[in-house]
Amino acid sequence: MAYFEAFPNTWMEYIVTYQFVPDDKEGRKNLYSLGHKHMHAFEYKLNLIPDSSYYKKLVNIAIGARKDADAPSYLQGCVKDHMINHSEEILNALAPLRKGHRFEFWEFYFSNIIAVETIEEELNRLVELHKDCHPEDVQMMKDAFKYFYNGVNQSSVSYLEAD
C-alpha cells in the first residue's frame, strides 16, 4: 500500500518523476533510469490493492498524458495491458469523470505514430464489448482513434520538425 500511495497520482507528477533529465551538478540522480522498473512494479506487483482504487489511479495518471518514448510508453503499455482483461473496471473508473477528461484518456490510449493492426483490432474489440453498456465512451473511443491514431507526433518532437 505504501508503494501504491507513493506512486505519482497525475500525469504531471508521473512525467516530472520519470522524464529524462541529466543528473544535476551536485551528482543527484533523477528517477528516469528507474521508470521502467517502477512501472513494472505498479503494473504487476500491486495485486492486493482494491480494483476500484487501482484503476482510478491508473486512469488519473493517463489523463493528459502525451505519447513519447520511455516513461510515457511504459504508462501506455500498462494501460493497454490492463485493458485486455479489465476494460470494465477502467470504464467504471472513467464513468464519473467529465467528458473532456474521459476523452483525454482515450486520446492517450489510442495515440500512436504509425499504423499498427493490433491497435485497430483493439478498437474493434472494445467497441463490440462495450457498445451496449457504455455507448458514450464507445463514441469517445472512436473519435479519439480517428484523431490520435496513426500520425500523432511524439511530444519530444517540435511542430517544426514534424512532417
Side-chain angles (χ1 to χ4, degrees):
M1 185 55 103
Y3 183 82
F4 179 75
E5 290 174 354
F7 201 80
N9 291 302
T10 65
W11 166 248
M12 289 306 289
E13 289 176 10
Y14 178 81
I15 198 59
V16 166
T17 302
Y18 296 112
Q19 70 184 343
F20 177 75
V21 178
D23 296 335
D24 69 13
K25 293 176 184 170
E26 286 80 39
R28 292 179 290 217
K29 300 206 179 278
N30 61 52
L31 296 178
Y32 168 78
S33 63
L34 298 174
H36 187 264
K37 181 180 177 181
H38 289 182
M39 194 73 234
H40 180 82
F42 184 81
E43 182 174 354
Y44 296 109
K45 306 289 184 184
L46 297 177
N47 51 11
L48 297 178
I49 304 297
D51 281 354
S52 60
S53 299
Y54 182 85
Y55 290 110
K56 181 178 179 182
K57 185 167 192 153
L58 182 61
V59 162
N60 202 52
I61 297 168
I63 291 171
R66 296 290 174 252
K67 179 72 176 165
D68 210 341
D70 302 328
S73 290
Y74 308 149
L75 174 61
Q76 190 182 48
C78 175
V79 174
K80 288 182 177 197
D81 288 348
H82 280 286
M83 193 67 78
I84 293 169
N85 294 315
H86 301 281
S87 60
E88 185 65 32
E89 290 88 340
I90 291 172
L91 286 167
N92 288 339
L94 284 165
L97 303 178
R98 298 175 66 173
K99 288 180 185 180
H101 292 124
R102 290 165 35 211
F103 189 80
E104 283 185 292
F105 172 85
W106 293 116
E107 172 188 338
F108 178 64
Y109 186 80
F110 286 115
S111 289
N112 208 56
I113 59 174
I114 60 170
V116 179
E117 190 174 309
T118 56
I119 298 173
E120 295 169 17
E121 292 168 357
E122 175 65 358
L123 172 67
N124 294 331
R125 182 186 78 85
L126 290 171
V127 167
E128 191 59 34
L129 193 60
H130 297 291
K131 65 184 178 187
D132 296 327
C133 297
H134 301 279
E136 190 173 52
D137 278 293
V138 164
Q139 187 58 52
M140 284 185 212
M141 286 178 210
K142 291 178 180 179
D143 290 342
F145 181 87
K146 177 181 174 183
Y147 291 106
F148 298 101
Y149 166 72
N150 186 19
V152 168
N153 298 325
Q154 292 192 344
S155 61
S156 60
V157 176
S158 77
Y159 299 113
L160 297 175
E161 296 174 34
D163 291 333

